[in-house]
Amino acid sequence: MGKPTGFLEIERVKDSYEPVAQRLTHYREFVPALSDDKAKLQGARCMDCGIPFCNNGCPVNNVIPDFNDLVYHQDWKTALDVLHSTNNFPEFTGRVCPAPCEAACTLGINDDPVGIKSIERSIIDKGWENGWVLPQIASVKTGKKVAVVGSGPAGLAAAQQLARAGHAVTVFEKNAAVGGLLRYGIPDFKLEQSVIDRRLAQLKAEGILFKTNTIVGSKDIPAGIVCDAQTVITPAELDAEFDAVILAGGAEVPRDLPVAGRELKGVHYALELLIAQNKQVAGGAANPIHAAGKHVVVIGGGDTGSDCVGTSNRHGAASVTQLELMPQPPEQENKPLVWPYWPVKMRTSSSHEEGADRDFAVQTQAFVGENGVLKAVQLVRLAWQDGKPTPIAGSEFELPADLVFLAMGFTHPVASILDAFGVEKDARGNAKATTEGQACYQTNVAKVFAAGDMRRGQSLIVWAIREGRQAAREVDQFLMGKTVLPR
């Protein structure tokens, strides 16, 4: 605890944003890292609790009080070592994680919590700037080969851990570039692709092989999922070549809205917009969906919806409205009731601040069009009682809409991939594998493991990293009869 009275004397150091008018002209990140002095002040607010709830609030169990104290003392190199001991990719979580650790911060009971996320980002950014993030190449090779299907955060974390344990790892990715939704689902104004590329260079230097444009199982995938694959590899081929397989392909099937007019031109899944935009920013073809001068309606109130708002504003949309089925949450959570758990409260993202109307407790009844082209959305207001919605008679209304983006989350992994392996699914359609007791992360199929959203369903990047690390440990144990990897 660098400064015992710091939490009494120092206010939370808030992130600074580039002005709205300026950042709407580009797709670069616009939240600068904290200066050393500000990071020191932020770290000084940590109370070094006897029971640091932030550690358990963080899915990867970051050793938060320790690196806070090290930042306060400006020992950045050791802070980086502590951070990397639990988190393979803090540059991702330090930018786009919602920070459940901060919701669990003890100081947050009656004050603003410590800005753990901004400290984490400051540590890793300084590590890259100073050349401290180097390949960790295994000194002894085991002779074992592992295939990882999917190159999102779960697959990358598993691959890195296994490579460092001495195994030969090959990652298969169905799209043209590595990163999964890190690459294609998160706009560059939140996570620039160069941030992903520099970490991939480290993984490649550690001996990990990447095979892109390659799908495992079958190209029979649902609508709304982008697939660049030119090559199909069968599970039998993987079984013959590899000693273990980790399925980490994510939960990609988007939730649809099957109401009248769904087929109209102008109604899209959110990722149809976001993936094409990220490809354009990376130097690819122009996004075929463009919101310039159009009335945009985003259905779904989460992060993906917010990303559609920010992207539409950068296109120059005439208006952007984001709709949410649930009632508007309170501005401030009931802390005595919910702490240290993730609270339900009103959250306003930087994209919302750039310009958007938000409406709550509304349900879409139909999409309205002319000559097959979307023109409006028919809606009705809802009354919520005992957790159940009821349409309010006479509350129907209509919004003009040239584009609608469905951002209502994802339901489960692509079934054809799991079916090709013969992997049992749980009630939600995810790969069935336990994380407790014996045979953790193992499916019903010999030497086939599952991790990340493909196993647990739609979740956070930080949960994917946790599952990738833990699955890697179980695979190492499976292959070697013991493991040197942390859980």
Side-chain angles (χ1 to χ4, degrees):
M1 188 174 185
K3 186 174 178 57
T5 58
F7 69 96
L8 296 171
E9 300 168 0
I10 302 169
E11 295 182 356
R12 179 182 170 111
V13 181
K14 299 185 184 300
D15 290 329
S16 60
Y17 292 166
E18 190 177 288
V20 170
Q22 186 174 340
R23 68 187 193 236
L24 283 179
T25 64
H26 63 76
Y27 290 87
R28 299 184 302 276
E29 293 177 11
F30 54 81
V31 184
L34 297 177
S35 66
D36 289 4
D37 290 341
K38 287 185 177 180
K40 177 183 175 76
L41 289 174
Q42 188 75 274
R45 298 186 73 241
C46 181
M47 300 167 70
D48 195 15
C49 309
I51 302 176
F53 288 90
C54 57
N55 286 17
N56 286 331
C58 172
V60 293
N61 303 123
N62 279 336
V63 193
I64 294 165
D66 290 38
F67 67 61
N68 284 344
D69 179 67
L70 289 162
V71 167
Y72 174 76
H73 288 100
Q74 300 290 281
D75 187 352
W76 293 94
K77 180 65 168 62
T78 307
L80 180 66
D81 293 340
V82 171
L83 181 55
H84 266 149
S85 71
T86 56
N87 187 350
N88 295 66
F89 313 124
E91 63 270 42
F92 305 154
T93 53
R95 284 169 166 78
V96 296
C97 183
C101 55
E102 294 187 17
C105 175
T106 303
L107 182 56
I109 295 174
N110 63 349
D111 199 350
D112 289 332
V114 175
I116 301 166
K117 178 178 173 180
S118 60
I119 293 175
E120 180 176 323
R121 179 185 167 182
S122 295
I123 294 170
I124 184 59
D125 282 0
K126 186 168 285 291
W128 285 107
E129 290 166 8
N130 287 278
W132 297 333
V133 185
L134 300 171
Q136 299 180 29
I137 301 171
S139 58
V140 177
K141 303 297 184 182
T142 65
K144 302 292 186 180
K145 299 176 67 177
V146 181
V148 177
V149 180
S151 70
L156 294 180
Q160 184 166 60
Q161 293 296 96
L162 288 166
R164 290 176 176 180
H167 306 304
V169 181
T170 302
V171 178
F172 295 89
E173 169 56 49
K174 71 179 185 304
N175 288 313
V178 172
L181 286 186
L182 290 170
R183 172 79 62 182
Y184 291 122
I186 300 173
D188 283 64
F189 56 78
K190 290 173 63 176
L191 176 67
E192 290 185 21
Q193 295 180 47
S194 60
V195 175
I196 304 169
D197 292 337
R198 67 185 181 188
R199 182 62 77 169
L200 290 179
Q202 182 201 33
L203 271 63
K204 291 176 182 177
E206 291 175 351
I208 300 170
L209 299 178
F210 292 94
K211 293 190 176 182
T212 56
N213 295 307
T214 303
I215 193 167
V216 176
S218 168
K219 290 187 73 172
D220 180 20
I221 57 178
I225 297 178
V226 174
C227 178
D228 301 326
Q230 301 169 359
T231 302
V232 178
I233 291 186
T234 66
E237 290 175 298
L238 293 186
D239 180 72
E241 183 177 353
F242 295 93
D243 300 293
V245 177
I246 298 178
L247 302 179
E252 295 185 281
V253 179
R255 183 171 282 107
D256 203 354
L257 187 58
V259 299
R262 172 63 181 88
E263 77 287 350
L264 290 170
K265 183 180 180 181
V267 182
H268 302 274
Y269 290 115
L271 287 187
E272 292 182 68
L273 168 73
L274 299 178
I275 292 176
Q277 190 61 49
N278 280 19
K279 288 186 173 183
Q280 176 182 328
V281 172
N287 190 342
I289 304 171
H290 208 277
K294 296 181 179 181
H295 297 291
V296 175
V297 174
V298 179
I299 300 177
D303 287 341
T304 302
S306 172
D307 295 342
C308 290
V309 170
T311 301
S312 298
N313 280 328
R314 281 160 177 75
H315 283 189
S319 69
V320 181
T321 304
Q322 187 173 17
L323 306 177
E324 171 59 65
L325 188 73
M326 300 297 291
Q328 183 171 340
E331 289 290 336
Q332 184 62 55
E333 74 273 25
N334 185 341
K335 289 187 179 181
L337 178 66
V338 300
W339 180 88
Y341 301 107
W342 185 249
V344 174
K345 67 176 183 178
M346 187 70 172
R347 301 178 189 277
T348 299
S349 73
S350 59
S351 291
H352 296 139
E353 293 170 350
E354 292 164 2
D357 293 323
R358 303 166 74 183
D359 206 347
F360 296 84
V362 291
Q363 184 177 49
T364 304
Q365 293 185 310
F367 300 116
V368 180
E370 294 178 7
N371 301 318
V373 178
L374 177 71
K375 293 298 180 184
V377 182
Q378 287 183 352
L379 305 161
V380 64
R381 298 203 176 275
L382 301 174
W384 283 83
Q385 188 172 6
D386 299 326
K388 296 180 180 179
T390 302
I392 300 172
S395 69
E396 295 83 0
F397 67 106
E398 193 170 284
L399 280 179
D402 303 301
L403 286 172
V404 164
F405 298 116
L406 305 179
M408 302 173 296
F410 303 87
T411 57
H412 52 72
V414 175
S416 60
I417 295 177
L418 298 181
D419 292 342
F421 281 89
V423 169
E424 289 183 7
K425 297 187 282 286
D426 65 16
R428 297 181 298 157
N430 303 318
K432 189 175 182 180
T434 182
T435 60
E436 303 294 336
Q438 299 295 318
C440 290
Y441 292 94
Q442 292 190 43
T443 70
N444 61 298
V445 180
K447 73 183 188 184
V448 176
F449 296 71
D453 289 6
M454 184 163 266
R455 190 204 68 81
R456 66 178 286 116
Q458 175 186 322
S459 191
L460 305 175
I461 288 173
V462 67
W463 270 106
I465 294 171
R466 170 196 171 105
E467 294 229 340
R469 287 172 61 90
Q470 291 189 348
R473 186 179 192 276
E474 298 301 322
V475 170
D476 190 39
Q477 175 77 39
F478 169 78
L479 294 176
M480 308 303 294
K482 60 182 180 179
T483 183
V484 296
L485 296 174
R487 182 171 172 79

